[in-house]
Amino acid sequence: MWARIAGIILRNRIFFLLAIVGITSFMAYQAQFREMDYNFAQVLPSDDPTFIDYQNFREIFGEEANLLIIGMDDSLVYSLENFTKLLTLIDNLKEVDAVNRVISFPQALDLVKNVDSGRFEIHPVVNRVPTSQKEVDSIQNRLNNLPFYDGLLWNKETGASLVILSMEQSVMNSEDREPVIKKIDELTNAFAQETGIELHKSGLPYIRTRNAVKIKGEINLFIFLALGVTSVILLLFFRSFKAMLFSMTVVGVGVFWSLGSMVLLDYKVTILTGLIPPLIIVIGVPNCIFLINKFHSEYRSHGNKIKALSRIIQKIGNATLMTNATTASGFATFILTDSYVLKEFGVVASINIMMVFLISIILIPIFYSYFPPPSEKQVRKSEITWVKGIVSWMVKVITRKRHIVYIVVGSLTVIAIFGMLRIYITGSITEDIPRDDKIYTDLKFFETNFNGLMPFEILIDTKKPNGVNKPSTLRKIDQLQAALDTFPQLARPYSVTDLVKFSKQAYYNGSPAFYSLPDNRERNFILRYIPEGSEELNFMDNLTDSTNQIVRVTGGVTDIGTKRMRELKESLTSVIDSIFNPEDYQVTVTGTSVVYLKGTEYLVKNLFISLALAVLLIAIFMAWMFRSARMVLVSLLPNLLPLLLTAAIMGYFGITLKPSTILVFSIAFGISVDDTIHFLAKYRQELKARSWNIRESAIAALKETGVSMIYTSIVLFFGFSIFIASNFGGTVALGLLVSITLMIAMLSNLILLPTLLMTLERLITTKSFKEPMINIYDEEEDIELEDLTIEKNLNS
């Protein structure tokens, strides 16, 4: 089959070149329409109870994760000059597109009893721009006597205060959000520069936008770094600008195809799919290395360029197809999860890995067909002495010191098991943001002064219309809020009870001492001051549903990570059950923070499943290729050992198990198996050529494939190392851990695998292995050159 494919490719060079140029042009055109995903990707499936609870909450009360918050803790804000500039800033922020509403401490509303009319009236604390410092001091004093806002718009103890922007959700979910955030930054930065007051900005819209901008910048950075690093390595290996240029052309085409495919599949760019273009470069270059190395080897052995070009397709085609298929399988297992973000990543990655294989197997032979064959000097240049020295050392180890190999592997396994047991699972919204990043330090400002901003909601269904208005219900809500105040991880909660308390304070002429729930007698008096049907008091929107049956207790939580968040939720559940009888009330804990917790746990679980599926799927591939269950087991061991050692590294160095780091195992396993396939394919060839002498075949296979495997492992090591340049801790850990895992896998496949083959000998090299499902091309069989009609063209 591969002989026919070789003939088709080499006879129809112009057609294939034009086809690839046409497809690449189309993909490059499509790539310009790619869009960033500005949402936290939906991880939970639509039928998950936590996701359903959250969607029900949003249907009743709207979006709760659309607040952009600006904070300050400088007393200078209460100087006359700075206070007037703050009022100007607030007015300017109101004019920014996508800002629906601005809530701030200078805009605080006071509830005042009008004895003459017998009604409550709402008065702004600041009803005009102050003209003297005395007026500003009076405003500050009045604010300090409104406990309703303490913990919501300011912190009386620390002096910190807030300006809250309610953002238009449709704009925040599109690329239009970037100029909006940029305009807000310009206004706030100008205010900070004029006044000397440091401003802190946070909230999910702001964090998402800043992260998306970083991801967009990193895509281009990683592409250029990957191209640069692999180009330098190829030049060092082959000492040939031509080999480097051909390889870069192949992976460059693959990058355009990957970007275009995302648009055609209607996928937006996320922190995961943004990694695919540089991954294509790093994974595609080894294909080129194996093909070019084989071309040099073939040409050097017989000096016939046509024969060499055809044979690299025939001999490398099967093995390279299988190695790319196993790599793609490692990524494709993500498709079988119920996570949309993982499915998209798996679809795009697996498709494009197979595409870059197709591109390389077509373009490399065609490119070399148009150029003179390599000279003896060029071929010798590509043989790096120190690499051959490493291979020679490995041959000595597997032939003379196999017992040392097993001692080392056994010791490492024991050490790795203890290290693996030290790993713990965690995850938070800011987990991957550097600790010195402004996004992180600003968030810590809000957590220090207001105990966190991550949305946290408790829904209480009274099961009866107007059930919220019952005094007993209000008392239970107040009791719950008092209990919530004892949790240091939670910001001050607020609900309809705070409005009722505010009403009592107003009834007693604004005295803060009376900020509490009224008793039954006081309630009757206070209700007279509230006009029926009046919406005036509803300046804190959406605290109950339209029937007053469901009430929300809303607040925030610090970004404490999944483990502590799970413990917090369990503690709250017991508190809630002690206050609200489940037979009378239905209470739901929800919000973005809760959904993120469940999503992280769900994602980690799915990634473990995907790893198990990757191992199973690749084992099936190996069984189909070699038709030997024993050989499958032996081939998997050298690839599972690196995963175990990587897990140990994570445990010993405190690298937590989270969505970004657990990806390491599926990716690394799918790639590391490539070395096993190349080695065993060559080993099987040598068995036939050497009359089934296992020892000689294993040594010959090591000498033949060792150089290329070391080359590709070095490319993969430095290729994945580029992700260390990321601004996201998870991406840094991903690049570092995959690089280490693949280097360990290379050593394992070049030392442990042949050691096992030579030790077990006849036990695993069965007849079924000798007669595999996939036929390997017979190296002794000559190609019928007269069948290759392009010979004249190639030599011209």
Side-chain angles (χ1 to χ4, degrees):
M1 180 186 75
W2 286 99
R4 184 178 300 173
I5 291 173
I8 293 172
I9 292 173
L10 294 173
R11 290 190 188 101
N12 300 280
R13 295 174 297 167
I14 300 298
F15 169 78
F16 282 108
L17 283 175
L18 291 176
I20 289 178
V21 168
I23 295 172
T24 305
S25 300
F26 174 73
M27 288 298 193
Y29 172 76
Q30 293 295 325
Q32 66 181 317
F33 301 114
R34 68 185 187 277
E35 297 180 6
M36 298 299 301
D37 189 355
Y38 292 93
N39 283 315
F40 284 127
Q42 180 183 332
V43 175
L44 293 175
S46 300
D47 59 352
D48 183 86
T50 300
F51 184 77
I52 293 173
D53 287 342
Y54 181 62
Q55 291 302 107
N56 290 339
F57 163 81
R58 293 175 64 184
E59 288 179 9
I60 298 172
F61 296 103
E63 181 63 51
E64 40 71 88
N66 64 341
L67 299 181
L68 190 155
I69 303 173
I70 303 168
M72 63 199 82
D73 63 352
D74 199 324
S75 60
L76 290 175
V77 75
Y78 287 105
S79 71
L80 175 61
E81 182 181 2
N82 290 341
F83 195 80
T84 55
K85 288 180 179 178
L86 177 62
L87 294 176
T88 301
L89 171 64
I90 292 169
D91 288 338
N92 290 336
L93 289 172
K94 290 178 181 177
E95 301 301 319
V96 176
D97 291 339
V99 175
N100 290 332
R101 184 180 181 189
V102 179
I103 306 169
S104 65
F105 62 98
Q107 296 174 298
L109 300 172
D110 195 2
L111 197 60
V112 179
K113 181 176 69 172
N114 188 320
V115 179
D116 294 334
S117 65
R119 293 290 184 266
F120 287 131
E121 296 176 352
I122 295 177
H123 294 172
V125 174
V126 181
N127 52 20
R128 64 184 180 87
V129 178
T131 57
S132 68
Q133 184 62 47
K134 185 178 180 180
E135 287 184 70
V136 176
D137 293 341
S138 176
I139 290 170
Q140 184 179 9
N141 183 63
R142 190 175 178 188
L143 290 173
N144 287 333
N145 287 315
L146 296 177
F148 176 81
Y149 297 104
D150 190 15
L152 300 181
L153 291 180
W154 63 77
N155 185 323
K156 190 175 180 179
E157 292 182 2
T158 65
S161 50
L162 303 178
V163 175
I164 302 174
L165 310 183
S166 176
M167 309 300 295
E168 178 62 44
Q169 193 66 26
S170 60
V171 176
M172 291 294 100
N173 289 341
S174 69
E175 290 193 357
D176 295 335
R177 71 189 295 159
E178 288 188 29
V180 170
I181 297 298
K182 183 179 179 181
K183 180 63 177 177
I184 292 172
D185 281 340
E186 290 174 355
L187 293 172
T188 54
N189 291 341
F191 171 83
Q193 187 173 0
E194 291 175 6
T195 62
I197 297 173
E198 183 181 7
L199 296 183
H200 307 269
K201 294 186 284 291
S202 194
L204 291 183
Y206 191 79
I207 294 174
R208 289 169 179 170
T209 303
R210 285 288 162 236
N211 283 346
V213 170
K214 289 180 180 180
I215 292 170
K216 185 186 294 185
E218 287 191 352
I219 292 174
N220 296 329
L221 172 66
F222 289 150
I223 289 174
F224 286 118
L225 281 177
L227 289 172
V229 168
T230 52
S231 296
V232 171
I233 294 174
L234 287 169
L235 280 173
L236 291 174
F237 283 167
F238 292 112
R239 315 288 179 88
S240 167
F241 179 80
K242 182 168 59 178
M244 182 273 292
L245 182 62
F246 291 167
S247 301
M248 290 301 98
T249 302
V250 167
V251 295
V253 170
V255 167
F256 282 119
W257 285 30
S258 66
L259 292 172
S261 64
M262 279 189 260
V263 177
L264 294 177
L265 292 167
D266 198 27
Y267 293 163
K268 293 185 178 181
V269 179
T270 66
I271 193 170
L272 281 183
T273 54
L275 299 178
I276 290 176
L279 280 175
I280 292 301
I281 297 173
V282 174
I283 293 172
V285 166
N287 291 339
C288 302
I289 289 176
F290 274 106
L291 290 167
I292 294 172
N293 263 346
K294 191 61 181 176
F295 174 62
H296 285 174
S297 174
E298 284 289 330
Y299 183 77
R300 188 177 186 181
S301 67
H302 50 67
N304 189 312
K305 186 175 77 169
I306 303 171
K307 190 175 183 178
L309 289 172
S310 181
R311 277 195 167 184
I312 65 173
I313 299 174
Q314 294 184 59
K315 291 184 179 181
I316 300 296
N318 262 337
T320 309
L321 173 62
M322 288 299 101
T323 58
N324 281 267
T326 53
T327 302
S329 298
F331 287 91
T333 54
F334 298 135
I335 302 173
L336 303 178
T337 67
D338 291 325
S339 168
Y340 293 107
V341 63
L342 286 179
K343 281 184 178 180
E344 292 180 3
F345 178 65
V347 168
V348 178
S350 56
I351 289 175
N352 283 283
I353 286 169
M354 295 310 298
M355 289 300 101
V356 81
F357 156 73
L358 186 65
I359 295 165
S360 61
I361 203 74
I362 292 174
L363 287 186
I364 292 296
I366 290 177
F367 284 159
Y368 274 101
S369 72
Y370 283 106
F371 286 84
S375 64
E376 181 67 21
K377 183 179 179 181
Q378 288 175 321
V379 173
R380 283 200 305 270
K381 278 184 178 181
S382 66
E383 297 178 351
I384 302 177
T385 305
W386 64 266
V387 174
K388 297 187 73 174
I390 291 175
V391 174
S392 298
W393 171 79
M394 290 177 175
V395 170
K396 291 179 182 178
V397 169
I398 68 171
T399 54
R400 303 175 187 175
K401 301 180 180 180
R402 292 203 295 269
H403 63 287
I404 295 179
V405 173
Y406 292 129
I407 292 172
V408 171
V409 169
S411 301
L412 289 176
T413 301
V414 173
I415 295 171
I417 291 173
F418 282 104
M420 183 178 64
L421 296 176
R422 297 165 64 100
I423 296 179
Y424 64 93
I425 299 174
T426 187
S428 66
I429 293 174
T430 59
E431 181 82 30
D432 294 332
I433 299 176
R435 295 305 178 250
D436 58 349
D437 191 284
K438 190 73 165 62
I439 292 176
Y440 184 82
T441 57
D442 279 357
L443 181 62
K444 290 304 166 185
F445 163 83
F446 292 106
E447 291 186 350
T448 300
N449 290 279
F450 297 95
N451 288 16
L453 301 178
M454 299 301 113
F456 186 81
E457 303 281 347
I458 298 177
L459 260 61
I460 303 167
D461 186 351
T462 64
K463 300 183 179 181
K464 295 178 183 179
N466 293 315
V468 174
N469 297 330
K470 292 176 60 177
S472 60
T473 300
L474 293 175
R475 285 194 296 270
K476 289 180 182 294
I477 296 172
D478 190 46
Q479 185 181 351
L480 173 62
Q481 289 183 230
L484 296 179
D485 275 332
T486 64
F487 289 87
Q489 308 95 326
L490 297 176
R492 179 207 148 176
Y494 68 95
S495 70
V496 68
T497 61
D498 293 286
L499 289 173
V500 177
K501 292 178 182 181
F502 202 179
S503 301
K504 179 179 176 179
Q505 179 186 356
Y507 181 79
Y508 287 102
N509 299 316
S511 172
F514 291 95
Y515 186 77
S516 61
L517 284 179
D519 57 31
N520 290 335
R521 182 182 62 83
E522 291 172 323
R523 191 167 181 270
N524 292 331
F525 288 116
I526 293 171
L527 287 176
R528 297 175 187 173
Y529 280 82
I530 301 176
E532 289 189 18
S534 173
E535 300 297 326
E536 289 183 326
L537 290 181
N538 194 22
F539 51 82
M540 300 297 288
D541 293 334
N542 298 327
L543 292 178
T544 66
D545 70 337
S546 58
T547 64
N548 282 330
Q549 176 176 316
I550 302 175
V551 62
R552 67 190 284 200
V553 177
T554 186
V557 62
T558 55
D559 193 30
I560 54 179
T562 54
K563 181 179 180 181
R564 292 175 60 196
M565 186 67 186
R566 189 186 313 110
E567 295 170 352
L568 173 63
K569 189 179 177 184
E570 291 172 356
S571 298
L572 287 176
T573 300
S574 62
V575 170
I576 291 170
D577 289 343
S578 68
I579 297 173
F580 293 93
N581 188 336
E583 294 183 1
D584 300 324
Y585 300 91
Q586 181 179 336
V587 182
T588 304
V589 179
T590 186
T592 304
S593 55
V594 176
V595 173
Y596 187 85
L597 160 69
K598 183 66 178 295
T600 300
E601 293 176 339
Y602 182 84
L603 196 57
V604 170
K605 176 184 175 182
N606 274 263
L607 287 169
F608 272 120
I609 294 173
S610 72
L611 175 59
L613 288 172
V615 174
L616 177 62
L617 189 59
I618 290 171
I620 293 173
F621 263 119
M622 305 290 274
W624 179 71
M625 288 176 64
F626 301 122
R627 300 178 68 187
S628 169
R630 296 169 185 171
M631 188 62 73
V632 170
L633 180 61
V634 169
S635 64
L636 288 179
L637 287 177
N639 295 290
L640 293 175
L641 177 62
L643 303 187
L644 185 62
L645 292 173
T646 300
I649 291 172
M650 293 174 64
Y652 285 123
F653 288 92
I655 302 174
T656 59
L657 200 60
K658 53 188 176 181
S660 52
T661 55
I662 202 172
L663 281 172
V664 170
F665 299 100
S666 294
I667 293 174
F669 183 76
I671 297 174
S672 66
V673 170
D674 295 357
D675 285 344
T676 306
I677 293 175
H678 276 293
F679 183 90
L680 291 179
K682 184 61 183 175
Y683 171 66
R684 195 172 58 201
Q685 285 183 356
E686 294 296 334
L687 280 174
K688 187 174 182 180
R690 298 174 186 274
S691 303
W692 313 108
N693 186 309
I694 294 173
R695 177 186 174 87
E696 291 183 6
S697 298
I699 294 172
L702 176 56
K703 290 180 177 180
E704 173 75 17
T705 61
V707 172
S708 291
M709 287 166 67
I710 292 173
Y711 283 2
T712 56
S713 294
I714 292 173
V715 169
L716 290 168
F717 178 84
F718 286 103
F720 276 98
S721 294
I722 65 170
F723 294 123
I724 296 174
S726 174
N727 287 306
F728 299 97
T731 307
V732 172
L734 175 69
L736 182 62
L737 292 172
V738 171
S739 298
I740 293 172
T741 307
L742 292 178
M743 192 56 67
I744 296 173
M746 182 267 292
L747 294 172
S748 183
N749 277 295
L750 288 178
I751 297 177
L752 179 58
L753 179 58
T755 298
L756 289 170
L757 291 175
M758 295 176 68
T759 300
L760 300 176
E761 292 191 354
R762 305 294 173 183
L763 184 63
I764 58 174
T765 308
T766 59
K767 181 180 180 181
S768 60
F769 180 73
K770 298 174 185 177
E771 299 175 0
M773 180 69 71
I774 298 178
N775 292 321
I776 299 296
Y777 176 73
D778 187 352
E779 295 194 34
E780 304 304 319
E781 182 182 327
D782 286 328
I783 301 175
E784 295 296 331
L785 297 182
E786 61 268 21
D787 290 341
L788 296 175
T789 58
I790 66 166
E791 178 181 2
K792 183 177 180 180
N793 294 332
L794 289 174
N795 292 330
S796 61

